Each structure stands twice: as structure tokens, then as C-alpha cells.
Amino acid sequence: MAVITGAALVLNATYEPLCVVPLKRAVVLVLAEKAIVVETGEALVRSERTSISAPTVVRLSRYVRVPYRREVPMTRRAVLERDEHTCVYCGVRADTIDHVRPRSRGGQHVWTNVVAACARCNHRKGDRLLAELGWHLASPPQQPPATVAVVMGWAKREPSWQRYLVTDWPAAEIAPAV
């Protein structure tokens, strides 16, 4: 028996992203007629009598009421993912997070005050304000939309998922000092 690997984005009947499920679960939803294939990948899923293209995005046949809209929990991993593992100060690979307004100066541990930073820039900034260093953020850090929480933690994301996720929030960037 072949092992089915991969994942699929599950959309509500209204095309609202709900969750990411293993490929095997997505195939079961489609075969049980609980979901409709919206997008497929190149791989094939085969059985003794049938073969179907591996779904990457499925839409539920019936609307599922979501009782509340969850917020994205703020974790180190989530901040790094929001900023695409890129240091907002110099653009190299980020491995730490930095409080824009240091906690020692009254800054809070919230989405709008935390950015991804490389260890070198984080150490260089220390507990100083950006203005003291002559640094400026091109855009302020923002809390990601709840739809992004759906794919947080999935290392391998299908490119076909992108169009169904709200990602119009900008990652914080640094403007060159003038």
C-alpha cells in the first residue's frame, strides 16, 4: 500500500479558509462527497479501481458555521513567519525577535511592537529606541489576519493556497537612514 503524503487547504462553502488537513483526509472528504476539489497538484492518488489527481484545495459541500474568529497567537515562530524569517533591520535571515519599543522602556509584548531580527542587529539595537540609532521602520508591524492562522506551522505550503488566504498585511521593513 502506497503512503499518501502532503496536505490540502480546506475551504468553507463560502471559500473562507478553515484549516489544513493531511492529503489522506482531503481525499476521504472528496470521496465521501463532503468536499469538492477546487485545485489539484501534479501527483495522482490511486486505488485498485480509480485514480484521482491529488487535491491541494478542497471546498466543503455544505457551509460549516465557525463560532468565533480566532486570533493568531503571538509566538516567536509566528513573528518569524510573519516577517518571512527576514531581519527587518538589515534583510538577512532572522533568528530572533526584537521589541521595537524595548520592554525596559514600556514597550509591550504585542504584535504591533515585535519584529523579526538577526542576532547581530538585535544585539546592536539593545534597549535603545529606533530614533536613537537613526533607524526607521518602512511600515509598522501588524497583527496578521486570522486566516493566516490556518496555515501557521505548515512548513510546506502549496502555492495554490495563496489566493485563498488574506495576506494583504505588510511585513515590517526598515527604510534606509537618511
Side-chain angles (χ1 to χ4, degrees):
M1 179 175 174
V3 177
I4 299 176
T5 60
L9 177 66
V10 177
L11 305 174
N12 211 340
T14 57
Y15 287 88
E16 172 188 22
L18 290 177
C19 63
V20 177
V21 297
L23 180 58
K24 184 175 179 179
R25 177 68 180 139
V27 170
V28 168
L29 287 170
V30 170
L31 293 176
E33 297 181 357
K34 293 183 178 185
I36 301 161
V37 176
V38 177
E39 303 219 12
T40 61
E42 296 177 11
L44 286 176
V45 178
R46 301 170 193 237
S47 73
E48 183 180 343
R49 293 187 182 90
T50 187
S51 129
I52 62 170
S53 295
T56 57
V57 179
V58 296
R59 181 178 59 89
L60 296 179
S61 301
R62 302 184 73 165
Y63 179 78
V64 174
R65 187 176 157 276
V66 181
Y68 61 90
R69 194 44 138 166
R70 67 179 175 259
E71 289 186 3
V72 180
M74 196 186 83
T75 62
R76 179 180 169 277
R77 176 187 283 180
V79 172
L80 290 171
E81 209 164 305
R82 177 197 66 188
D83 295 343
E84 299 175 351
H85 293 269
T86 304
C87 177
V88 297
Y89 302 125
C90 69
V92 302
R93 181 152 177 86
D95 47 6
T96 66
I97 62 171
D98 179 54
H99 292 85
V100 178
R101 179 174 189 90
R103 294 181 87 177
S104 63
R105 296 197 177 187
Q108 296 179 327
H109 188 66
V110 294
W111 278 107
T112 55
N113 190 45
V114 179
V115 294
C118 68
R120 182 174 172 258
C121 289
N122 199 346
H123 180 71
R124 184 173 169 209
K125 181 177 171 287
D127 69 343
R128 291 177 284 192
L129 300 172
L130 295 178
E132 294 172 7
L133 296 167
W135 295 357
H136 304 281
L137 289 176
S139 60
Q142 296 180 355
Q143 178 172 343
T147 54
V148 174
V150 169
V151 295
M152 287 262 179
W154 285 89
K156 184 177 183 289
R157 297 182 188 172
E158 293 290 331
S160 60
W161 297 357
Q162 199 61 33
R163 66 194 311 204
Y164 303 100
L165 302 172
V166 177
T167 57
D168 57 351
W169 50 280
E173 296 176 12
I174 191 77
V178 181

